[in-house]
Amino acid sequence: MGQRMQAAGGCLIAVVGAGAGLAVWAVNSRDRFQRFEQGPDWSVLYAELPLMVLGGTAAALGLWALGLRALGLRALGRRVRARR
């Protein structure tokens, strides 16, 4: 896999992870934002939203790195077997 393909794949995976984090955060966010007989809870926006987006991005990039490492180790094993 070329270096540009790896970079593009990493960027795409980061965007997908951020979207997944946003989707997870969006579930019942209205219920968390408006508490019963209280004012709005702004920590839902300034604390939970960025953490979910960054967490989704980090999780997706971590899985992507593990996948590349597994593919790299498999390719290395093939090269070693081919030399024998």
Side-chain angles (χ1 to χ4, degrees), residues 2 5 18 21 24-25 27 32-34 47 53-54 58:
M5 280 296 273
V24 169
W25 174 83
V27 174
R32 290 191 314 265
F33 186 68
Q34 285 292 346
V53 171
L54 291 174

Side-chain angles (χ1 to χ4, degrees), residues 3-19 57 60-61 64:
Q3 191 173 11
R4 286 187 181 185
M5 280 296 273
Q6 285 182 350
C11 290
L12 181 64
I13 292 295
V15 169
V16 168
T57 303
L61 287 176
W64 179 71

Side-chain angles (χ1 to χ4, degrees), residues 32-51:
R32 290 191 314 265
F33 186 68
Q34 285 292 346
R35 304 289 179 174
F36 180 69
E37 292 186 4
Q38 293 179 355
D41 185 10
W42 293 106
S43 69
V44 172
L45 292 178
Y46 68 79
E48 292 180 16
L49 177 61
L51 286 175

